[in-house]
Amino acid sequence: MSDEPEDQSGDESSRQFARLEVGISARLDTLSGRQSVRLVNLSQGGAQLILSVPDEAGEGMLTWLDFEMFGELAWQKGDRVGLTFDEPLAPLCLAETRRRAPSVVLDEAMGASFTKAWVSGEIGDD
């Protein structure tokens, strides 16, 4: 495992699979436990995540939407990690993630706005 992320320059020519920018909540289950993560991007070969607890991630099961894949830690830099899947993600799973991710991002943003307004007292029980 390398401490440095793979090339972040955006040069897709050296990658085996193209990446899909996602930005949705997900879950990572490892031997250390379960934690919420942000799924930054996804490809048939792996995923980039932001950990909610920046511990050593190790291998584990990544779960998002209605999908899950087992992956091994390829690199870690602080709270950002790259997972390499043990087998390629099915193209239909990638397509379904692409279709559903925008509405999930919107739902998460609306939920956060509602929570902020409720906590600040802008809305509430009258």
Side-chain angles (χ1 to χ4, degrees), residues 59-110:
E59 61 185 25
M61 184 67 69
L62 175 65
T63 305
W64 73 101
L65 302 174
D66 297 325
F67 308 108
E68 62 183 18
M69 285 293 288
F70 185 82
E72 294 183 12
L73 187 66
W75 58 265
Q76 180 165 359
K77 185 166 184 148
D79 63 351
R80 290 190 175 256
V81 299
L83 291 183
T84 301
F85 295 145
D86 63 338
E87 59 185 56
L89 183 64
L92 289 175
C93 177
L94 201 55
E96 183 66 9
T97 299
R98 177 188 310 265
R99 185 185 73 75
R100 291 175 54 193
S103 65
V104 171
V105 170
L106 181 60
D107 288 348
E108 288 176 353
M110 289 177 62

Side-chain angles (χ1 to χ4, degrees), residues 8 20 25 29 32-33 35 39 58 76 80 90 97 103 108 116 118:
Q8 300 285 318
L20 170 65
S25 296
D29 293 303
S32 301
Q35 69 170 288
L39 180 56
Q76 180 165 359
R80 290 190 175 256
T97 299
S103 65
E108 288 176 353
K116 184 177 177 182
W118 183 79

Side-chain angles (χ1 to χ4, degrees), residues 4-5 7 16 21 27 29 39 41 43-44 48 50-51 54 64-65 71 76 82 88 98 113 117 123:
E4 294 298 318
D7 180 23
Q16 187 174 2
E21 298 298 321
R27 185 180 74 227
D29 293 303
L39 180 56
N41 63 45
S43 75
Q44 285 183 273
Q48 184 180 145
I50 300 174
L51 304 174
W64 73 101
L65 302 174
Q76 180 165 359
R98 177 188 310 265
S113 295
I123 58 173

